[in-house]
Amino acid sequence: MRMPRFLPWLLLLFCLAISTCFARQGPWVMRISCGSRVNVNTAPTNTRWNKDFAYTGGIPANATKYPSFLTPRLPTLRYFPLSSGGPNNCYNIRRVPKGHYTVRVFFGLIEEPDFNTEPLFDISVQGTQVYSLQAGWSTNDDQSFVEAQVFLLDHTASICFHSTGHGDPAITSIEILQIDNQAYRYGPAWGQGTILRTATRLSCGNGKPKFDVDYSGDHWGGDRFWGPITSLGSSSDQPRSTEAGIKHATNAPNFYPEALYQTAIVSTDAQPDLAYTMDVEPNRNYSIWLHFAEIDATVTDVGKRVFDILVNSDVQFQDVDIIKMSGGRYTALVLNTTVLVNGRTLTITLHPKEGQYAIISAIEIFEVVIAETKTLSQEVAALQKLKTALALPPRFGWNGDPCVPQQHPWNGADCQFDRTNFRWFIDGLGLDNQGLRGSLPNDIIKLQSLQSINLSGNSIHGAIPSSIGKLTKLEALDLSYNSFNGSIPASVGQLTSLRRLNLNGNHLSGRVPAELGGMLLHGATFNFTDNAGLCGIPGLRTCGPRLTAGAKIGIAFAASVACLLVVVCATCWWKRRQNILRAQQIAARGAPYAKARTHLSHDIQLTRHYNNQNHHSSRTAAENGPSLLS
Ligand SMILES: *[C@@H]1O[C@H](CO)[C@@H](O)[C@H](O)[C@H]1NC(C)=O
Ligand SMILES: *[C@@H]1O[C@H](CO)[C@@H](O)[C@H](O)[C@H]1NC(C)=O
Ligand SMILES: *[C@@H]1O[C@H](CO)[C@@H](O)[C@H](O)[C@H]1NC(C)=O
Ligand SMILES: *[C@@H]1O[C@H](CO)[C@@H](O)[C@H](O)[C@H]1NC(C)=O
Ligand SMILES: *[C@@H]1O[C@H](CO)[C@@H](O)[C@H](O)[C@H]1NC(C)=O
Ligand SMILES: *[C@@H]1O[C@H](CO)[C@@H](O)[C@H](O)[C@H]1NC(C)=O
């Protein structure tokens, strides 16, 4: 059987196509050097940091203090004084592909730290507060950044800094690094509803701080930062290291660098237990990832090193035998467990049972943070419109999400949680006496769930939006003491839940919609006083008759008739006057009257001329006619 010659080529082409399709692209990466006017490339890895000069929030400055492990140091930062941007400031990075990311923010200082000016602020990612800076961080490099593993699913990354009034938040850099979708999957509760905040990451037996890139690690690992630790606290601990290669280190989904397993800490006779303790926030879940590889030449077989792992005295892993569980010597083993910590410390203890003492290569501890759900995006957009239209001062802090993090909601917007749809919505606006200007935008009706609006005591002008009747949940509407003009929109009558309506102290005019009368009967209270032009309810002036189209035609007709009458009368009077004058002339033949006569006739001709011109709109003519003739 002969094979066609082109078949192998076809097969090759097919294989190529398949492999291109399935070849993994590199992870999406965004690094920002805050406050920088130029893009910065840092040695030795030629890492690119983007300038953020187009970003308008905060104030760029030169940093006086940097995290020591950022080498070379990024020279600039951006800081956020309360007076310039208010309490909430955000970086919103757009066009971020949907995925799982490590987000890292480095803090800086604009002046030498002292107790009073050390910036202590909160940081949120996607509306979830992930970290509060602790007093003393500026003298502790390990605390000069925050990192979180988070799903970004709406093509944006929103990273906000929330001032607590102690110092000005100051940021040197932001990194958004894509990681594997399954990275750090610790159990069933893991997923889009949780964020893992890195509490610590330690490379045991290693004396120098290192990033994954220093270990030439896989980019899908998220370029983790590994703190150095050569002793877990006991004086008898010893660091170990090996040059030998480690199997299965860089496996998906976490892609740990191989070098991580080439060093370790081991315990000795003097203190067989290895114990690591760190301070934590009480009543939080912590996800603990422990790394092992048997790199001790004297431990050659299964059963030669067996230990239990305890977290705060509860056994989490029993009879851990690295060689048995990893499948051999010089092979990576990763164990993870999640524990609820009630107290303020978390202690991991390796307690040897058989043979050799305990050994550990690396420790990762994450705080499990429950992700907040964001506010309905159309409501956020409506509030943003309102912010611009009313020129809201920065002290309101309307940046980021209005309702979350719950620790830092926007001033003046009241939030409520919708338990069926798991969404926040806005149910009140309290912006009374805030010196607001501008006019009320129609977009306010997109805040569908508003129950109360208080804009009393500002300088808002223009009309009340005619569609305000669409806010059917509205119970209180207070627009008093502003400069609203025009008439009260008839749609206000559709606000059937309305209990309080204060429109006093504006420049409103026209008739108060009759529909409001019905509400009065149901115990609602209204105040329309101090609006010179309003009419139609008791306490206000009475309105002129309301004119239907028929009535208007009637009036026009009557006015025309009146005009005609006036003209006829005037002509008669003139004729009569002429006759009298002629008679007088004949009688006296005197000159003095001549001038007066000319003048008078001229006046009347003008009046007549006016009336004729405006005959088709005779109402005006009728109104003007008498005044001219009188
Ligand atoms: C930061 O330092 C550079 C020189 O290194 C200087 O040119 C620049 O003006 C400084 N910027 C500020 C905001 O102080
Ligand atoms: C973490 O532990 C859980 C169970 O505790 C396990 O199902 C999961 O596979 C582990 N994850 C990894 C990446 O080892
Ligand atoms: C800790 O995790 C458990 C199990 O997922 C959960 O039921 C509990 O609410 C969590 N506790 C806290 C404080 O997050
Ligand atoms: C609106 O605020 C003013 C004072 O700022 C207050 O007197 C008034 O009662 C408020 N209106 C409503 C409807 O609560
Ligand atoms: C209301 O005031 C604005 C100016 O603020 C003016 O342009 C508009 O014509 C006024 N409308 C009415 C109905 O008086
Ligand atoms: C209505 O507003 C006026 C001031 O514009 C005030 O003097 C009066 O007490 C108010 N009436 C009611 C019933 O609140």
Side-chain angles (χ1 to χ4, degrees):
M1 209 174 72
R2 259 190 72 204
M3 210 159 80
R5 268 230 228 126
F6 59 87
L7 203 63
W9 290 107
L10 212 69
L11 268 172
L12 188 72
L13 215 70
F14 181 71
C15 291
L16 260 172
I18 291 277
S19 64
T20 338
C21 282
F22 287 90
R24 198 161 195 193
Q25 289 181 337
W28 192 89
V29 167
M30 168 64 81
R31 288 186 166 92
I32 299 168
S33 174
C34 302
S36 179
R37 289 161 183 266
V38 290
N39 295 329
V40 183
N41 285 300
T42 55
T45 48
N46 201 32
T47 303
R48 157 81 166 246
W49 302 81
N50 294 283
K51 65 184 172 191
D52 75 341
F53 199 59
Y55 175 73
T56 52
I59 301 173
N62 286 330
T64 60
K65 149 122 190 166
Y66 333 73
S68 66
F69 39 78
L70 264 185
T71 50
R73 297 167 171 188
L74 295 166
T76 59
L77 55 70
R78 198 174 277 276
Y79 70 105
F80 301 91
L82 265 179
S83 56
S84 92
N88 305 320
N89 286 281
C90 304
Y91 273 81
N92 292 306
I93 293 118
R94 293 178 212 291
R95 292 196 286 279
V96 181
K98 278 188 190 186
H100 195 197
Y101 289 84
T102 285
V103 173
R104 198 153 49 199
V105 178
F106 289 93
F107 321 132
L109 290 172
I110 37 173
E111 52 193 5
E112 281 308 313
D114 75 48
F115 178 77
N116 292 314
T117 58
E118 181 181 42
L120 301 182
F121 54 99
D122 295 344
I123 296 194
S124 69
V125 177
Q126 300 298 86
T128 303
Q129 182 159 322
V130 291
Y131 194 55
S132 297
L133 273 79
Q134 304 295 306
W137 72 265
S138 57
T139 53
N140 186 343
D141 279 337
D142 289 349
Q143 292 178 22
S144 57
F145 73 102
V146 62
E147 182 193 283
Q149 280 60 228
V150 55
F151 285 92
L152 302 177
L153 300 171
D154 57 4
H155 299 289
T156 64
S158 168
I159 299 162
C160 301
F161 319 110
H162 309 278
S163 187
T164 59
H166 194 283
D168 299 330
I171 311 297
T172 56
S173 59
I174 295 172
E175 294 181 272
I176 301 170
L177 312 170
Q178 194 178 9
I179 55 176
D180 192 281
N181 278 342
Q182 300 293 317
Y184 295 107
R185 180 177 197 131
Y186 60 79
W190 173 93
Q192 292 165 18
T194 56
I195 291 176
L196 289 180
R197 201 260 307 167
T198 312
T200 194
R201 209 174 238 147
L202 297 168
S203 171
C204 301
N206 190 337
K208 275 175 73 179
K210 283 194 164 106
F211 287 91
D212 276 3
V213 344
D214 302 322
Y215 290 126
S216 55
D218 190 300
H219 290 304
W220 281 95
D223 197 17
R224 285 158 286 220
F225 171 74
W226 299 93
I229 191 165
T230 49
S231 162
L232 293 184
S234 156
S235 56
S236 60
D237 291 353
Q238 285 181 355
R240 274 291 142 81
S241 68
T242 180
E243 302 275 296
I246 306 291
K247 290 192 274 281
H248 302 315
T250 46
N251 286 358
N254 286 338
F255 303 98
Y256 293 107
E258 181 181 13
L260 197 62
Y261 301 92
Q262 290 174 322
T263 64
I265 290 175
V266 294
S267 57
T268 57
D269 263 338
Q271 174 51 269
D273 280 3
L274 273 181
Y276 173 74
T277 298
M278 76 174 293
D279 293 339
V280 294
E281 289 291 312
N283 301 316
R284 311 257 169 107
N285 284 318
Y286 286 88
S287 177
I288 300 166
W289 295 67
L290 303 172
H291 302 260
F292 308 93
E294 191 49 81
I295 59 169
D296 193 330
T298 61
V299 179
T300 52
D301 214 342
V302 170
K304 291 284 190 323
R305 190 202 296 275
V306 179
F307 52 92
D308 286 348
I309 303 174
L310 297 81
V311 176
N312 285 354
S313 74
D314 292 333
V315 176
Q316 294 291 330
F317 298 97
Q318 206 154 15
D319 299 330
V320 174
D321 183 328
I322 301 168
I323 295 179
K324 185 171 151 195
M325 292 167 82
S326 68
R329 299 171 66 204
Y330 302 101
T331 307
L333 169 68
V334 184
L335 297 176
N336 82 87
T337 184
T338 304
V339 292
L340 177 63
V341 180
N342 295 312
R344 294 196 160 270
T345 56
L346 188 162
T347 302
I348 300 166
T349 310
L350 275 57
H351 177 66
K353 291 169 93 176
E354 290 289 335
Q356 292 282 341
Y357 304 116
I359 184 170
I360 189 161
S361 298
I363 300 170
E364 295 176 280
I365 299 175
F366 303 97
E367 180 190 333
V368 179
V369 181
I370 306 300
E372 303 259 24
T373 47
K374 293 197 193 179
T375 309
L376 281 167
S377 55
Q378 76 206 44
E379 302 221 335
V380 183
L383 287 175
Q384 295 286 11
K385 285 260 172 64
L386 204 65
K387 173 186 171 180
T388 317
L390 300 181
L392 226 61
R395 70 188 130 85
F396 280 92
W398 282 24
N399 291 310
D401 190 288
C403 304
V404 294
Q406 290 178 58
Q407 297 90 334
H408 300 281
W410 290 0
N411 277 326
D414 301 332
C415 295
Q416 229 184 72
F417 194 65
D418 174 356
R419 296 197 177 280
T420 38
N421 296 312
F422 279 92
R423 282 290 194 170
W424 288 94
F425 61 87
I426 308 298
D427 72 345
L429 282 178
L431 297 169
D432 45 291
N433 297 308
Q434 299 297 342
L436 306 183
R437 335 193 133 263
S439 60
L440 200 54
N442 240 323
D443 296 83
I444 197 166
I445 62 154
K446 299 210 179 107
L447 299 167
Q448 275 291 314
S449 308
L450 278 180
Q451 292 174 3
S452 85
I453 298 175
N454 196 343
L455 295 171
S456 175
N458 290 295
S459 309
I460 305 169
H461 59 78
I464 299 174
S466 58
S467 46
I468 196 134
K470 297 217 172 97
L471 296 173
T472 50
K473 302 218 170 73
L474 213 53
E475 291 171 14
L477 177 59
D478 193 337
L479 304 178
S480 57
Y481 305 110
N482 278 290
S483 305
F484 284 104
N485 67 357
S487 55
I488 302 176
S491 75
V492 170
Q494 295 159 17
L495 299 173
T496 47
S497 307
L498 205 60
R499 290 282 156 273
R500 234 178 123 184
L501 177 64
N502 289 355
L503 299 177
N504 50 302
N506 281 291
H507 308 313
L508 296 168
S509 55
R511 178 180 289 273
V512 173
E515 293 85 344
L516 289 176
M519 294 184 202
L520 277 175
L521 295 179
H522 293 104
T525 59
F526 298 154
N527 195 340
F528 299 113
T529 55
D530 296 333
N531 281 292
L534 274 186
C535 62
I537 60 159
L540 302 175
R541 71 183 174 83
T542 50
C543 299
R546 258 213 278 198
L547 302 179
T548 61
K552 279 177 196 165
I553 291 172
I555 287 175
F557 182 73
S560 312
V561 169
C563 269
L564 212 68
L565 232 96
V566 165
V567 171
V568 168
C569 287
T571 318
C572 287
W573 179 81
W574 183 68
K575 277 245 157 85
R576 212 185 130 215
R577 182 86 183 153
Q578 291 276 303
N579 288 343
I580 291 170
L581 278 177
R582 207 176 300 131
Q584 279 172 345
Q585 262 169 4
I586 292 165
R589 284 221 153 338
Y593 294 104
K595 204 173 174 191
R597 186 188 64 204
T598 329
H599 187 79
L600 243 172
S601 66
H602 181 69
D603 264 4
I604 290 160
Q605 267 164 12
L606 253 187
T607 309
R608 209 142 126 213
H609 181 65
Y610 188 82
N611 281 347
N612 287 341
Q613 277 248 311
N614 292 280
H615 212 258
H616 49 279
S617 63
S618 46
R619 204 177 130 193
T620 5
E623 274 167 13
N624 288 330
S627 67
L628 260 174
L629 283 177
S630 63

